[in-house]
Each structure stands twice: as structure tokens, then as C-alpha cells.
Amino acid sequence: MKKEILKLRGVKVHFPVQAGVFNRVVGHVLAVDGVDLDIFRGEVLGLAGESGCGKTTLGKAILRLVEPTDGEVKYISQDDNETELTSLEKKDMDPFRKKLQIVFQDPHSSLNPSFTIFGSLQDPLKKFGIKSKEERRKIIGDLLEAVNMRREYMDRYPHEFSGGQRQRIGIVRALCLEPELIVCDEAVSALDVSIQAQVLKLLMQLKKEKNLTYLFITHDLSVTEYLCDRIAVMYLGRIVELCDSEDLYNNTLHPYSEALISAIPVADLDKQTKRIVLEGDVPSPVNPPKGCPFHPRCPKATDICKTEVPTLKKYSTNGNEHYASCHLIDLPEIS
Amino acid sequence: MAKSSLDKKFDQIRKREEEKTFSTKKRSRIVNKFLNNRLAVLGLIIFTIIILASIFAPLLSPYDPMRVDLRSMRQPPSFDHWFGTDSTGRDVFTRVLFGGRVSIFIGLGSAILSAVVGIAVGCYAGYKGGWIDVIALRISEIFMSFPQIILVLLLVSITGQSLFNLMAIFILTGWGGMYRLARARMLSLREEEYVQALRSFGLSTFTICYKHMLPNALSPIMVNITLSTAMFILTEAGLSFLGLGVPLNIPTWGNILNVAQDILILQNYWWMWGPVGIVISVFVLCVNFIGDGLRDSTDPSQQG
């Protein structure tokens, strides 16, 4: 039986756009515009989409690094207690900060250059009740070994490490309070391919050892294919398709996902793939197009797409739940 | 296959690392880098000599800086009076030593205090942003838009000349620059991912901005402290030269220079203003060298 760890309901993050002498608010960037999403315990949920579609903002909104404008983020503990996170006071958030952690994209800015690794990692441990220095050193040392690094490295400065090593230190930081869910915000995008594989392997191994759940934010669908149990595809602040990762590749429902998948390079010269090239850019999230946000670029768009906003509907492919928001799907909807 | 000498070297390094024999060296990393900078070391040596000489002035000189000796007026430098004597027979060398006490105190004190105020306000406001930032920014602009000389004139005419008035004015007009520097650094630092990571642990604002972010904002501030120490010393000299600074009976470097207003002294008695002028310049130069050295050595990503 799958149990949820996080339930997102109608999460919105709007950033005000200010202009003029008095910084009048002239509009909002609808970075995340109403996302419903369940994340199950122990799964790897991929969150894919092109840059600017709001994936990172959604990840940060879950941790309240960006305050959601609207909507609910519910955390469900192991003994089924539900807590709504967005309405909590700063202080009350602390126990949940321990459970939810994040690994960042850029290994070069994710470590404090003036502190040794131990120096920058020890404060969170201190805050969450590990008083003796020996104990803190032991925890960090053990974790460094868990990510295949030497224990002594904790007394070094970040500039002494390579990108891949820094990223592993970033993982150590996320792990140091024994979290349940880790948001991997493009955790491997800044690394070169051989190191990517190494870090991904490590992440999967840690997941097994520590019963972690990942929300894996990426723009690279070829990475998600092997990694994720389910994949959510985002476009312009909304989820357009959500399904098991196999179904996304074999039974694609949304035209946007189709276009993304067709863009994955295939290492086979004989195989002819039909490449769907999307015209134009992502529309501005300040005033998204009317109707389906994807219709100006959609090769299949019809009249209804221009006027009516599609909602995320449930279908079934291969006997699995498959959500998509498109008017043009001719499968029977499941309630 | 035989190990190459390079491999052996690496093995040795690794062995030492495992035995933690590196740890003693690590403590003095910043010091080592500073000591490698020759100009900074030279600056530090001269700086220390001048400061020690000022502190131990009574031991170095048999004369009283205030005592008028009419029998030995305007004597050129000699063994008895190293820098000569001034128009009332006071020993110029002694006055330079004692003057250093006040001048350095004013310069360093004002610079450090205005930095403390500026950093305290700037870090918090820059990190927090919002209305706190707007208010702090406006206040600093108000203070910075006052001309220093007018403020000094105003305060001197209200409360009279005193050392602390001068320092108060230096701090009032000086913290704005430090504040802006600190704030600007914090604005760029707060978007860094390590700051986001600290926030994701729910650490307090104070820990994040004063402990984790401040060290990364410090190097330009450090340089600015030294520069403004130099500037305050020069301003003090300038104001005292005009008779607006420290009361004339207290010897400061500026007050000693004051005599050079007289064209007769400027032309005929070079020892009354020459040595002290050189001391001021050398001291200011040294402070700037130290500032440069500090900036380079506290930046962990710079090797050297």
C-alpha cells in the first residue's frame, strides 16, 4: 500500500512585478499556478519541464524557501499525522525542516567558501540537538564516507574540491539530519556526464539504505527515465502530465510531453525518430495565453484549446493511473 | 610496477593527512598568507613601531610635550632634540609621539566604530530586505548628504572643541559608507545557494547573516576600514590644522602641523612640520598596505 508523504493542493507562487517610481505592482509572474501533486513515501518522483516553467520554484515552495502565495502543502508523518506546512509559524516549522531537505543545482555556490566543510555543516546539527563536537564530527565523517569521500575532507575548504565532490558534499548536507524527503533541484545538471552517472548511482544507493523519497527536479528526461518511478511534466507553472515513467515514454498523452521525449537523443544511427520541434518560446508567465497555456506552440491545437483551460484528468494506461490535462485525449476519463 | 617518486610523495602526503599532522599548519593559514605578502609585513612592522612608540612615549623621551621652554626656541634638530623644537621651545619629537596617541585613537577608533555600526545595520537590513532595508538606506543617505565640515562647525560652535565630538561626527558621517558596502555584499550573497541551504535548516537570521554570510562580505569592508582609518587621520589633521578639530593644547599630528599656517615657519623652520608630515604619510601608507594584505589573506579561494 502506497502512503503519501506530501500532498500539494492548489499550490501557487506568484511574484509581484514592480515598475515605476513608487514600485507599483503592475502584475504577477505566475511561477507556479495551481499544482496538485501527491508524493508517495519511498518513490522517486521526477519533475520535468523546460527552464522557466516553475519546477525549482515549486521545489523551494515545498520547503518554504519561497513562500507559496496560495494553496496547501501537507506533510504526512509515518504514523499518519497530517500537518499543513504553509500556515505554520517559523518556529513550528523546525521539526519538519528536519524531514525535508534540498540538494542544489550549482555546486560552486552551494558551499560557503569561508568555512571548512565541518564548519558549515555543524550549525544545523547543533541546532537540532547534537551538543558535543565529537558527535558532530562523527556524524559528518560517517556521511562523508557514505558518499565515498574521505573522513578527513571535513576540515578542508570548498575550493579544494571538484564539482562532483562538492555535489556529494551537498548531498551530505542534505542527509545530515536524516530527512525523509529530499528535493534534488537539478542536482546533476551542472556536472559532466560521467560524474552525473556517479552521483545518480550514489543517490539511488543512499535512497535504498536510508529509505528516502526524492523529488527529482530536472530538465533532462533521459535522466528521469532510468531514475524515477513517476514523472510529472510541468509547463508554465502547471502540471500537464503525471504518470508512471514507463507510461510517459510508451503511452504519452500530452503533446508537450511528446515533444520533450522526441528531443531525447538516441544513440542509434539506424533508428529514425520523429522529431517534434516546438515553435517559439515559452510564453511569458506574467500573462499566460488564454485557454490551454500550451496552445500557441501545440502542433495539434484546435479551437477549444484557445478558449478553455484544460484540467488535470485521470486516465488509465497499462492499468496505471495516468493524469494529463489536454482536450484532445480520446481515452475514457476515470473518476 | 615500481612506484614513481611522485606517487611516493602523494603517499607521504596521504599518510600525514591520516595522522592529522596537517592540523597544526591549518590554524595559521591566514597568518601564513599574510606573512607571504612583503608589503603588508613591512606595513605591519612600521605600524607596530609607530603605535608602540606612541604608547611608550614617556619612556622614549625625557621631555614633557606641553612644557614651554623659552630658552630653547626654534632649535634645529640636534642630539638633545631629535626633531628640533617649536616656537615655544617644546620638543617636536616628543609632541609627535604623544600626538600619535590621539591621532591614531581617533582614526582607528572612528573607523572601527563606524564599521561596527555600518556592518551591524547593513548585514541585517541587506539580508532581511523589505521595509527595514528601505528605512536604513534612507537614514544613511541623510547622514551622507551632510557635508562633514559643516557638521563639525555646527557641533564645535554648540558644544566646543573636543576629541569625542570629533569622533562622534566621524562615526555619524562614516557609517553610511560601511553600511552600503555591507548591504551591497549581503544583497548578492543572500541569493547564493549555501544561504538557501542554511535557511532550509531553519537557522536563525542572526546565525545566518552574522556568522555564515558576514565572513564572505568582510574583505571589502576590511580594506575600507583601513582606508577610512587613513582618511580619518588625514581629516583630523586637516580639521586641527584649521583649528576646528581637537583643542589646540592637546598635541595631535594635525595640531602640530597647525604651525605651518605661518608662512615664516613654513619657509624657515622645516623641522616643525616636515617630520610630522612624513610620519602621517608613512602611517597612512602602512595602514593601506595592511589592508591590502588582509584582503588577500582572508579570501580563502585565493592561493598565495
Side-chain angles (χ1 to χ4, degrees):
Chain A
M1 180 60 198
K2 287 195 290 186
K3 274 164 76 178
E4 290 99 344
I5 180 165
L6 271 186
K7 278 188 193 169
L8 313 189
R9 290 289 173 266
V11 173
K12 291 181 183 176
V13 183
H14 295 175
F15 297 113
V17 181
Q18 294 173 330
V21 187
F22 297 105
N23 287 337
R24 236 160 13 97
V25 177
V26 292
H28 285 91
V29 178
L30 313 176
V32 178
D33 198 21
V35 166
D36 298 332
L37 188 63
D38 291 340
I39 304 173
F40 296 106
R41 230 165 238 286
E43 77 168 344
V44 179
L45 175 63
L47 188 58
E50 61 197 299
S51 43
C53 73
K55 335 180 270 292
T56 300
T57 313
L58 180 63
K60 287 185 175 167
I62 291 173
L63 297 163
R64 283 183 72 189
L65 289 177
V66 173
E67 290 292 336
T69 322
D70 195 17
E72 292 178 344
V73 178
K74 278 184 191 150
Y75 168 80
I76 297 113
S77 70
Q78 243 147 353
D79 42 5
D80 291 332
N81 281 328
E82 270 194 23
T83 325
E84 215 284 296
L85 297 182
T86 54
S87 57
L88 285 178
E89 289 289 310
K90 275 246 158 67
K91 275 264 164 344
D92 302 329
M93 186 75 191
D94 283 350
F96 304 101
R97 297 240 181 244
K98 225 178 127 163
K99 311 274 185 200
L100 312 172
Q101 270 305 320
I102 183 163
V103 175
F104 289 100
Q105 173 177 17
D106 180 7
H108 296 280
S109 89
S110 67
L111 292 169
N112 191 338
S114 327
F115 285 83
T116 60
I117 304 308
F118 176 70
S120 52
L121 294 197
Q122 69 161 335
D123 271 351
L125 289 173
K126 225 191 261 176
K127 180 188 158 113
F128 286 98
I130 293 146
K131 291 276 181 277
S132 85
K133 195 180 170 193
E134 281 69 44
E135 215 173 320
R136 290 199 295 269
R137 287 189 76 88
K138 187 175 175 299
I139 291 174
I140 293 169
D142 288 350
L143 281 173
L144 278 173
E145 277 176 359
V147 298
N148 305 325
M149 289 177 80
R150 300 165 74 87
R151 190 172 271 276
E152 299 84 51
Y153 285 179
M154 74 169 96
D155 292 318
R156 291 195 182 176
Y157 287 86
H159 67 84
E160 297 173 67
F161 295 105
S162 69
Q165 285 175 316
R166 289 188 204 200
Q167 201 57 309
R168 281 186 273 161
I169 295 167
I171 294 170
V172 167
R173 173 172 59 203
L175 285 174
C176 70
L177 294 171
E178 298 174 349
E180 290 170 0
L181 178 120
I182 296 183
V183 177
C184 300
D185 181 8
E186 308 247 12
V188 295
S189 321
L191 307 174
D192 64 53
V193 183
S194 58
I195 308 292
Q196 272 191 11
Q198 192 189 0
V199 172
L200 288 175
K201 220 169 139 188
L202 175 72
L203 280 171
M204 287 307 115
Q205 184 196 335
L206 289 168
K207 173 184 177 297
K208 238 181 245 166
E209 285 169 11
K210 298 178 190 289
N211 291 321
L212 296 168
T213 308
Y214 289 142
L215 174 60
F216 205 89
I217 299 172
T218 179
H219 58 252
D220 186 354
L221 275 177
S222 59
V223 169
T224 49
E225 186 176 356
Y226 299 103
L227 215 66
C228 304
D229 303 316
R230 293 191 306 150
I231 297 178
V233 179
M234 263 183 102
Y235 186 75
L236 222 62
R238 286 171 209 190
I239 288 180
V240 293
E241 187 160 7
L242 169 68
C243 60
D244 282 22
S245 54
E246 270 177 35
D247 288 331
L248 184 71
Y249 295 93
N250 301 330
N251 305 304
T252 321
L253 290 183
H254 200 282
Y256 178 61
S257 317
E258 256 171 50
L260 283 186
I261 289 166
S262 82
I264 301 174
V266 182
D268 187 350
L269 282 177
D270 299 329
K271 202 172 165 187
Q272 287 290 318
T273 49
K274 203 179 93 209
R275 177 83 171 81
I276 306 169
V277 180
L278 289 180
E279 301 281 324
D281 262 336
V282 189
S284 154
V286 178
N287 41 31
K290 286 202 177 60
C292 173
F294 186 54
H295 86 258
R297 301 170 77 194
C298 183
K300 299 178 179 169
T302 56
D303 284 343
I304 184 172
C305 302
K306 289 173 188 161
T307 48
E308 263 178 63
V309 185
T311 52
L312 206 59
K313 289 182 190 134
K314 194 175 184 182
Y315 304 96
S316 168
T317 52
N318 259 353
N320 295 322
E321 287 178 354
H322 194 141
Y323 297 86
S325 67
C326 181
H327 294 300
L328 309 171
I329 299 167
D330 48 1
L331 285 174
E333 198 191 330
I334 308 169
S335 53
Chain B
M1 201 178 86
K3 272 188 179 175
S4 74
S5 63
L6 203 63
D7 277 341
K8 276 181 195 158
K9 229 176 217 168
F10 269 117
D11 281 348
Q12 276 175 357
I13 292 175
R14 190 161 287 168
K15 204 176 149 209
R16 271 163 67 193
E17 200 170 51
E18 272 161 10
E19 287 164 359
K20 297 206 170 119
T21 31
F22 273 154
S23 56
T24 47
K25 204 185 142 218
K26 265 186 54 56
R27 180 183 46 81
S28 57
R29 213 177 92 105
I30 291 173
V31 180
N32 273 342
K33 269 165 96 178
F34 187 86
L35 292 181
N36 281 338
N37 187 338
R38 282 192 197 158
L39 270 184
V41 174
L42 183 74
L44 188 68
I45 291 172
I46 299 177
F47 176 84
T48 322
I49 291 175
I50 294 179
I51 284 195
L52 285 179
S54 305
I55 292 171
F56 297 112
L59 302 178
L60 291 175
S61 153
Y63 302 100
D64 181 340
M66 317 283 255
R67 215 184 70 113
V68 175
D69 183 1
L70 292 177
R71 271 170 303 173
S72 51
M73 268 165 40
R74 297 182 179 173
Q75 283 181 2
S78 64
F79 273 114
D80 287 338
H81 302 284
W82 290 1
F83 289 174
T85 59
D86 67 6
S87 312
T88 47
R90 297 176 293 194
D91 183 53
V92 175
F93 179 66
T94 316
R95 283 178 68 75
V96 169
L97 291 184
F98 279 92
R101 288 180 166 186
V102 182
S103 288
I104 295 170
F105 178 72
I106 289 180
L108 262 183
S110 317
I112 289 172
L113 282 177
S114 57
V116 167
V117 176
I119 289 169
V121 180
C123 276
Y124 195 79
Y127 175 66
K128 271 295 198 189
W131 59 271
I132 298 179
D133 190 35
V134 173
I135 290 174
L137 194 63
R138 292 291 163 262
I139 294 176
S140 83
E141 274 167 5
I142 291 170
F143 277 113
M144 284 172 79
S145 60
F146 273 129
Q148 225 174 16
I149 299 261
I150 306 289
L151 259 184
V152 176
L153 272 174
L154 207 78
L155 218 72
V156 165
S157 58
I158 295 171
T159 58
Q161 283 186 343
S162 94
L163 214 151
F164 289 98
N165 284 351
L166 205 63
M167 276 183 80
I169 287 165
F170 284 162
I171 294 167
L172 274 182
T173 51
W175 74 274
M178 301 281 191
Y179 158 78
R180 292 178 149 244
L181 211 61
R183 171 179 176 270
R185 283 294 291 157
M186 293 311 259
L187 282 183
S188 71
L189 283 178
R190 74 172 179 195
E191 302 302 327
E192 297 265 317
E193 285 176 344
Y194 67 84
V195 178
Q196 305 262 320
L198 291 169
R199 284 179 55 208
S200 81
F201 286 114
L203 290 178
S204 70
T205 307
F206 276 89
T207 323
I208 294 179
C209 74
Y210 291 115
K211 182 172 173 191
H212 287 265
M213 289 167 77
L214 184 56
N216 296 309
L218 220 49
S219 49
I221 296 172
M222 211 87 105
V223 178
N224 205 318
I225 288 179
T226 57
L227 289 180
S228 51
T229 302
M231 194 194 74
F232 285 142
I233 287 177
L234 292 178
T235 315
E236 184 273 326
L239 286 172
S240 301
F241 179 79
L242 293 176
L244 291 171
V246 178
L248 264 178
N249 57 343
I250 303 175
T252 71
W253 289 343
N255 278 343
I256 299 168
L257 266 187
N258 199 334
V259 294
Q261 274 181 343
D262 189 342
I263 193 73
L264 193 74
I265 290 178
L266 197 63
Q267 280 176 337
N268 300 326
Y269 307 106
W270 57 268
W271 60 86
M272 285 189 208
W273 48 266
V276 72
I278 291 170
V279 167
I280 294 178
S281 305
V282 167
F283 187 79
V284 167
L285 207 60
C286 288
V287 171
N288 284 339
F289 285 154
I290 295 173
D292 274 353
L294 273 182
R295 182 196 50 208
D296 293 345
S297 62
T298 49
D299 183 355
S301 57
Q302 234 178 43
Q303 292 297 323

